[in-house]
Amino acid sequence: MDTELLLICALTVVINLIGALAYAARIAGVRTGRIALSFALFNILLLVSRTSNGFLGPFLAKRIETALASGGAEALLWDLRLVLFSAAAAVALGIVLVPTGQRLFAAAITFFQARRSTTRLILASMTPAGLATLRDSIAIPSGETLRSLSKPRGVSWTVLAANAAAQGLLAVGVLASLYAGFLVPEFRVTASQMTAIVNGFATILLFALIDPQISALTDDVVDGSVSEATFRRAMIWVSLSRLVGTLMAQALLVPAAVVIAWTAGWL
């Protein structure tokens, strides 16, 4: 693995780890009763994720151009699969870190509620007291949490399947479009532009079918009609469906690239 590929995988890990920790922010918001504030603080991490994503695109495009010049088709496909594996590993790590993230978000919400300063929050996180809070917040899912998955999920299989499909498309969208450009280099600009169509469809699926369900469940917890335990189980199931979707992206990569390549030539 060369330095460029290592950097691509590292950025992929950052992007997907932050996305997986979004569920920890929801749980912390419910537990503290500060849902809007928990999302506002999570947006700070989301900014880091989006900045990393901005660097990721050019590095991946450069990888494709280098492969076109050298003719390394098999090595390129392996590189792209390694990137997808990094994404899945980051989601799995994010699931394990949900209890830790939940505690850290709760501590950040409490601090911000008292100080009302993002700058002071960021500076405080780097002090000995902030590092001690990080140390004390470290936790892994307990055996009781895993056993509780046999209880009512709090979210339907339809929503979980839709979330897995959307996450799989989001994971593979950019990579498949770039690989399609390698398959039909004469149309590689057209193929790369089709990323927006793939990701746009996945985003519509997320915002139209999945987010409203999770938001409604969050409101149900706030008004007391659903327990926090059920909400936590729902977030675990949603996290697991995200992992399944990211793993599915491995199987989708080549077929999606072929379809995009054919479409790029047909347009």
Side-chain angles (χ1 to χ4, degrees):
M1 180 185 292
D2 56 76
T3 304
E4 184 182 73
L5 183 57
L6 185 62
L7 181 58
I8 290 172
C9 290
L11 290 173
T12 301
V13 167
V14 169
I15 294 165
N16 286 274
L17 180 60
I18 291 175
L21 289 176
Y23 306 117
R26 287 183 180 271
I27 296 173
V30 166
R31 298 194 73 175
T32 60
R34 303 288 181 179
I35 297 172
L37 180 55
S38 70
F39 288 166
L41 293 178
F42 175 73
N43 283 339
I44 298 174
L45 288 179
L46 193 60
L47 180 63
V48 176
S49 173
R50 288 177 177 173
T51 303
S52 300
N53 201 30
F55 285 104
L56 183 61
F59 280 122
L60 286 170
K62 175 66 178 303
R63 202 83 184 174
I64 300 297
E65 297 292 345
T66 302
L68 282 172
S70 62
E74 187 174 332
L76 174 63
L77 184 58
W78 167 251
D79 290 348
L80 296 180
R81 292 198 180 281
L82 190 58
V83 173
L84 286 175
F85 175 78
S86 300
V91 174
L93 178 61
I95 294 172
V96 174
L97 291 179
V98 163
T100 301
Q102 168 192 325
R103 289 166 172 78
L104 287 174
F105 275 115
I109 289 168
T110 301
F111 182 93
F112 188 88
Q113 192 65 29
R115 306 295 196 282
R116 303 294 177 99
S117 171
T118 304
T119 303
R120 293 178 68 178
L121 173 62
I122 295 173
L123 292 176
S125 67
M126 296 181 285
T127 64
L131 295 176
T133 300
L134 174 61
R135 181 196 62 210
D136 296 340
S137 298
I138 295 175
I140 59 174
S142 64
E144 178 59 32
T145 298
L146 298 177
R147 286 189 293 272
S148 71
L149 293 178
S150 61
K151 298 179 181 179
R153 297 180 306 277
V155 62
S156 70
W157 286 116
T158 301
V159 171
L160 295 177
N163 187 55
Q167 298 295 345
L169 288 174
L170 286 173
V172 82
V174 173
L175 298 181
S177 297
L178 290 173
Y179 188 56
F182 177 82
L183 297 177
V184 284
E186 65 274 21
F187 298 117
R188 62 181 180 272
V189 175
T190 304
S192 67
Q193 293 302 309
M194 295 185 70
T195 301
I197 298 175
V198 178
N199 288 353
F201 177 76
T203 302
I204 290 172
L205 196 60
L206 282 172
F207 282 101
L209 297 180
I210 301 158
D211 276 4
Q213 296 289 335
I214 296 177
S215 297
L217 185 62
T218 305
D219 288 340
D220 289 342
V221 178
V222 172
D223 65 26
S225 59
V226 171
S227 67
E228 284 190 25
T230 300
F231 182 77
R232 286 196 299 272
R233 280 197 302 276
M235 291 302 97
I236 293 172
W237 277 107
V238 172
S239 299
L240 290 173
S241 72
R242 180 189 182 107
L243 177 59
V244 169
T246 309
L247 291 172
M248 283 170 48
Q250 292 281 3
L252 292 173
L253 176 59
V254 174
V258 170
V259 171
I260 291 172
W262 178 84
T263 306
W266 175 76
L267 288 176

